[in-house]
Amino acid sequence: MKNHIFKIFFTISALVLFCACSEETITITGQGTLTGKVVEKSTNIPLENVKISTNPNTSTIFSDSEGNFQISNIDVGDYSVKAEKEGYIVKFEGTTIQESVSANVIFELEIETANNDAPNAPILLEPLNDSVEVGLSIDLVWSGSDPEEDELTYSVEILNDQNADVISFTEITDTTLTVSGLMYNTKYFWQVTANDGINNSVSSNVFNFRTIEFPENRIFFTRKINGNNVIFSTDDDGNEIQLTSQNNNSWRPRKAQSLNKIAFLRSNGGQTHVFTMNLDGSDVQQITSAVPVNGFNFEEIDFEWTNNDSQILYPSFDKLYVIDSDGSGLNQIYQTSNGNFITEVDWNQNTATIALKTNNSNGYEVEIFTINTSGVVQDIILQGITGAAGGIDLSFDGTKLLYTRDVTGNENQEYRQLNSQVFIYDLTTMTTNSTVSFEKPPGTNDLDAKFSPTEAEIIIENTPNDGLSQSNIYKLTLGQVNGRELIVEDAKMPDWK
């Protein structure tokens, strides 16, 4: 019995020992290598200093300048490999390490903002699409948003139906933009683009609006800005519009009522020529070319529309020329008999009368007279006086002529006038009224007198007689001693149509 129990115990012990020995012999052992490369997904550029780690944990290393990395002596098995770098999205790749085998992993890291959504398209609010009668200064208003509430910047682009000009604004952080200096009666198209600094820009719909019609201003004048003469128009309330650029020297505006055009003088290549433009300052055309405007003191020289505004009369030294309004048909129609210069010209449609003011090269020996279209002298208004005179303007019916004269009779090398006043000559009675320069401030000159459209008033330039101080334009009501009214400050060479 004891032997039997011993045999059973021996047998069990042997089996346990056998099983233990068998388990040791089938254990899998060994190591392998992990290699890899890290690049930027969008550009395939190698990324340096990318942190590489594994799970289960092994060594932690960083990629080199070529984006390569290697971990040696890794126990065989399955691993999750992690790549991380600031500014990029963390990436995981799985791999299996086998004994004496090099496993290779490629990482393509996306920029951290790769999952960022683009902004929502801006929504245009004001002015409403297809708005009309919009002012020349306007607030453009829109709304913008971003799914991640990223900070947005905007750009605005504005086009028009008149020319190829594009108005652009960039790096706007607000959703309101004030735009000024728009053109009259012009259709504008505007669009807003939003950018979050991450994604491509997103644009709004395109809205349009039309600006107000050009006002029917009737008063035109010249103002000196930065050394150049600049032409303006204004209404009775003093709302001014600049018509020519201050980069050009332009002066002496004269409106053609039937054409809605303005003729004016402009310096061009060392000469002075007659130009025309629309009432809003557009479509500038040079009219004279072969014979420029010339004579004594370009600021004194005047010209006039004639023959239902189809032609222009202008002087060049001692000669008077007529030219078609398109620049063709140049003809000389008069020349002074004494060689004096023609400085001012006016024309009356009803009587076909031409009024002229002539003077010597110093501005004196003034004669004011009328001629017919054949160049025959008709009426002598002023002759044989000393001092300066000018500012001629015929009334609508051709029976009266405005002019100015320095009543002191002073003559000097600077052509300085001391007390210039306005007079009216009656061509039917051949008499001169006494001065109408009522309330003229002492030490000033009234110059460049013109009848108002109703002829109940005249418009004049008043300037201090020092020849340096600012000129202003006044309206004088005829027949009223206290009828002087300031119209435009810092202005000269008025025209009222």
Side-chain angles (χ1 to χ4, degrees):
M1 184 66 178
K2 289 182 178 178
N3 289 334
H4 180 71
I5 294 172
F6 178 78
K7 288 180 180 180
I8 293 173
F9 178 78
F10 178 81
T11 300
I12 292 172
S13 299
L15 288 171
V16 171
L17 181 61
F18 176 78
C19 290
C21 292
S22 297
E23 186 174 322
E24 286 183 3
T25 58
I26 65 173
T27 299
I28 300 174
T29 60
Q31 293 181 323
T33 302
L34 174 65
T35 63
K37 188 178 184 71
V38 189
V39 297
E40 187 178 270
K41 184 174 182 179
S42 58
T43 64
N44 214 34
I45 295 174
L47 294 178
E48 186 179 8
N49 291 326
V50 178
K51 182 180 179 181
I52 306 296
S53 58
T54 65
N55 185 22
N57 187 40
T58 59
S59 300
T60 297
I61 63 170
F62 292 87
S63 60
D64 62 18
S65 60
E66 297 298 322
N68 298 317
F69 63 87
Q70 178 176 310
I71 304 176
S72 302
N73 303 320
I74 302 176
D75 291 340
V76 298
D78 294 329
Y79 290 85
S80 174
V81 186
K82 179 182 180 182
E84 55 185 324
K85 180 178 175 66
E86 186 177 356
Y88 292 85
I89 298 174
V90 175
K91 187 75 176 288
F92 294 88
E93 294 287 350
T95 189
T96 299
I97 301 299
Q98 300 179 23
E99 184 177 4
S100 301
V101 175
S102 179
N104 188 261
V105 177
I106 302 297
F107 285 102
E108 292 181 313
L109 297 190
E110 294 182 279
I111 296 175
E112 194 171 55
T113 57
N115 294 327
N116 184 284
D117 291 325
N120 298 315
I123 299 173
L124 306 187
L125 301 176
E126 297 178 17
L128 296 176
N129 197 26
D130 296 321
S131 294
V132 296
E133 295 296 313
V134 174
L136 303 188
S137 180
I138 184 174
D139 287 337
L140 302 178
V141 183
W142 64 91
S143 66
S145 60
D146 184 85
E148 287 83 18
E149 297 186 355
D150 296 325
E151 290 188 9
L152 300 178
T153 60
Y154 302 95
S155 59
V156 176
E157 190 169 81
I158 307 172
L159 296 86
N160 69 83
D161 65 352
Q162 299 294 320
N163 53 49
D165 292 346
V166 178
I167 305 173
S168 297
F169 301 89
T170 58
E171 299 299 321
I172 305 167
T173 57
D174 198 2
T175 54
T176 298
L177 174 68
T178 300
V179 181
S180 58
L182 301 177
M183 297 182 292
Y184 286 96
N185 194 27
T186 299
K187 190 172 186 178
Y188 284 93
F189 305 86
W190 66 291
Q191 185 176 43
V192 177
T193 299
N195 187 278
D196 61 2
I198 300 169
N199 298 279
N200 292 329
S201 297
V202 179
S203 298
S204 69
N205 293 328
V206 177
F207 273 19
N208 72 81
F209 60 87
R210 182 172 289 279
T211 52
I212 57 176
E213 297 283 340
F214 192 83
E216 295 183 1
N217 290 351
R218 304 183 70 176
I219 298 174
F220 303 88
F221 63 90
T222 302
R223 174 178 292 148
K224 185 153 287 189
I225 302 176
N226 295 332
N228 277 336
N229 289 309
V230 181
I231 296 174
F232 290 76
S233 70
T234 185
D235 60 14
D236 293 336
D237 296 323
N239 298 308
E240 299 178 0
I241 300 173
Q242 182 174 327
L243 303 181
T244 62
S245 169
Q246 62 190 53
N247 296 323
N248 298 114
N249 190 27
S250 309
W251 69 100
R252 191 66 69 181
R254 290 289 174 259
K255 181 183 177 183
Q257 192 70 17
S258 63
L259 299 180
N260 280 330
K261 290 274 189 181
I262 299 171
F264 61 98
L265 301 181
R266 171 174 286 180
S267 300
N268 184 20
Q271 296 181 333
T272 297
H273 287 280
V274 178
F275 287 73
T276 62
M277 61 182 172
N278 294 334
L279 297 183
D280 61 0
S282 63
D283 191 27
V284 175
Q285 304 287 334
Q286 181 174 329
I287 304 305
T288 58
S289 57
V291 179
V293 177
N294 225 324
F296 160 77
N297 195 333
F298 286 110
E299 298 250 335
E300 298 286 324
I301 291 178
D302 204 350
F303 63 96
E304 189 56 274
W305 293 92
T306 182
N307 293 329
N308 292 315
D309 299 331
S310 63
Q311 295 178 309
I312 295 173
L313 289 165
Y314 74 96
S316 185
F317 294 117
D318 62 340
K319 300 178 180 63
L320 181 66
Y321 291 89
V322 64
I323 190 170
D324 294 341
S325 58
D326 63 359
S328 63
L330 176 66
N331 286 296
Q332 178 186 322
I333 63 172
Y334 182 75
Q335 183 174 9
T336 61
S337 58
N338 57 4
N340 278 355
F341 298 158
I342 300 171
T343 300
E344 297 181 32
V345 183
D346 196 27
W347 156 267
N348 183 267
Q349 180 69 41
N350 294 317
T351 62
T353 299
I354 300 171
L356 299 176
K357 174 238 173 168
T358 65
N359 50 260
N360 62 19
S361 59
N362 296 317
Y364 301 118
E365 295 181 9
V366 174
E367 292 184 348
I368 298 176
F369 56 95
T370 63
I371 62 173
N372 61 21
T373 53
S374 299
V376 177
V377 175
Q378 303 293 298
D379 296 289
I380 304 294
I381 289 89
L382 198 66
Q383 190 179 53
I385 56 99
T386 60
I392 60 175
D393 188 51
L394 287 162
S395 63
F396 177 78
D397 62 6
T399 63
K400 295 180 176 62
L401 179 74
L402 275 176
Y403 69 92
T404 63
R405 180 172 69 85
D406 183 0
V407 296
T408 68
N410 181 69
E411 295 185 355
N412 53 82
Q413 292 183 345
E414 294 79 23
Y415 193 66
R416 176 181 172 182
Q417 301 182 50
L418 301 180
N419 186 10
S420 181
Q421 301 182 22
V422 181
F423 297 86
I424 299 177
Y425 183 84
D426 190 320
L427 291 166
T428 57
T429 62
M430 296 182 289
T431 57
T432 299
N433 295 343
S434 58
T435 178
V436 294
S437 286
F438 303 119
E439 294 187 315
K440 185 176 72 67
T444 68
N445 294 309
D446 282 346
L447 305 169
D448 269 329
K450 296 288 181 291
F451 283 110
S452 71
T454 65
E455 298 189 359
E457 301 155 321
I458 62 173
I459 196 169
I460 56 98
E461 170 192 342
N462 179 264
T463 183
N465 65 16
D466 59 6
L468 300 173
S469 301
Q470 174 180 298
S471 298
N472 301 310
I473 294 176
Y474 287 82
K475 178 175 66 176
L476 306 182
T477 301
L478 296 176
Q480 291 187 17
V481 175
N482 58 351
R484 183 178 291 251
E485 178 185 346
L486 177 65
I487 300 297
V488 188
E489 293 187 78
D490 188 17
K492 59 184 179 179
M493 304 181 191
D495 191 45
W496 196 356
K497 291 290 193 298

